[in-house]
Amino acid sequence: MSSELIRYKDICVDFHGSCLFSNFNLTVNKGDKLILKGRSGSGKSTLLKILLGILHVDDGEVFYRGRKISPSNIWDIRKEIAYVSQDTDIGEGIVKDLINEIFSFDHNQGRKYHRKRNSLLEYFGLDRSIVYKKFEDLSGGEKQRICIIISVLLGKEIFLLDEVTSALDLELKEKVVDFFLENENWTLLVVSHDNTWDRVAMDEVFVDGCEINA
């Protein structure tokens, strides 16, 4: 049985009249851990958003588990993928209430997460009392870690990580990197300028303009 999860086939994207991608090809198999490299504005984050149906291609096709991504199946695809962005604006209010709201959604109900939540808080250097604070009052680094914890609690195995360590100190960056790499079954597509990711054995995909093939 094929282990292919994601395939970008001959992707072309124009952005404000300029070519961002032309004939971009990339295959991601189960368990792959890929870091997307390239200059700022080269389209690394765009590739993640295309997979989620947030942005669309001008030409080419994107496949998930062998099925072409379309409006009719994009919501089912999103249920299987955890997307963590450097934009941590996930809402306002008490952290505990935000988490409970996420797990009240139909496709998340039934997950037992409270015990695991506490162990993840400890691992990522957060006191348990943080769940009683307002999310909007947290520091940038605290917000990033809460978003990471939520993504893990959702129990998914495909992670799109977009600059998720940008607000963390070196020790915490290393904990995040180690955490995501230790699970062989997880599939990672990472966008990051942090050289902490460079210290580990990850396959690199260079994204830098048109006519890119990987």
Side-chain angles (χ1 to χ4, degrees):
M1 182 178 294
S2 173
S3 62
E4 179 184 302
L5 289 179
I6 300 159
R7 181 157 56 100
Y8 297 86
K9 181 181 178 183
D10 298 329
I11 295 299
C12 297
V13 177
D14 289 330
F15 187 70
H16 295 320
S18 298
C19 171
L20 190 57
F21 296 113
S22 177
N23 299 317
F24 178 90
N25 292 277
L26 175 66
T27 298
V28 182
N29 295 313
K30 179 178 174 59
D32 280 352
K33 292 167 176 59
L34 307 179
I35 183 165
L36 304 180
K37 310 275 281 191
R39 57 185 171 79
S40 296
S42 60
K44 302 182 296 295
S45 297
T46 297
L47 287 174
L48 306 187
K49 293 177 181 178
I50 288 172
L51 178 59
L52 295 169
I54 299 171
L55 298 176
H56 303 284
V57 301
D58 293 292
D59 199 6
E61 298 171 310
V62 184
F63 296 88
Y64 179 77
R65 297 189 186 274
R67 298 175 60 200
K68 182 179 176 180
I69 292 177
S70 67
S72 64
N73 61 23
I74 192 61
W75 286 105
D76 290 332
I77 292 170
R78 290 176 182 176
K79 291 175 185 178
E80 296 190 15
I81 297 175
Y83 173 55
V84 189
S85 169
Q86 60 183 324
D87 179 6
T88 55
D89 185 16
I90 63 171
E92 296 183 349
I94 303 301
V95 172
K96 177 175 64 67
D97 294 338
L98 286 175
I99 297 176
N100 288 340
E101 181 181 3
I102 291 171
F103 282 88
S104 71
F105 300 154
D106 289 344
H107 54 278
N108 293 330
Q109 285 184 357
R111 297 186 183 276
K112 298 179 180 180
Y113 61 91
H114 292 90
R115 181 177 297 178
K116 189 173 183 180
R117 181 195 70 188
N118 290 336
S119 65
L120 289 171
L121 288 170
E122 181 178 356
Y123 177 86
F124 289 113
L126 295 169
D127 191 273
R128 293 185 184 184
S129 63
I130 198 171
V131 300
Y132 300 104
K133 297 181 179 180
K134 290 183 177 181
F135 185 78
E136 59 268 30
D137 292 339
L138 303 183
S139 69
E142 290 172 331
K143 288 179 178 179
Q144 280 194 327
R145 282 175 282 169
I146 291 295
C147 289
I148 290 170
I149 288 170
I150 292 172
S151 75
V152 174
L153 291 175
L154 290 171
K156 302 177 183 182
E157 294 189 345
I158 303 171
F159 291 86
L160 311 182
L161 307 177
D162 193 350
E163 300 288 2
V164 297
T165 57
S166 59
L168 305 181
D169 62 27
L170 179 58
E171 181 179 358
L172 287 171
K173 290 178 194 288
E174 291 176 343
K175 289 180 80 74
V176 169
V177 172
D178 291 343
F179 182 83
F180 278 105
L181 292 179
E182 69 181 6
N183 192 316
E184 294 182 359
N185 291 323
W186 284 355
T187 303
L188 310 180
L189 268 177
V190 178
V191 173
S192 180
H193 290 93
D194 283 336
N195 60 14
T196 309
W197 294 93
D198 296 333
R199 299 179 183 178
V200 295
M202 292 185 69
D203 291 326
E204 297 179 342
V205 176
F206 289 92
V207 181
D208 197 12
C210 291
E211 302 294 344
I212 301 295
N213 292 272

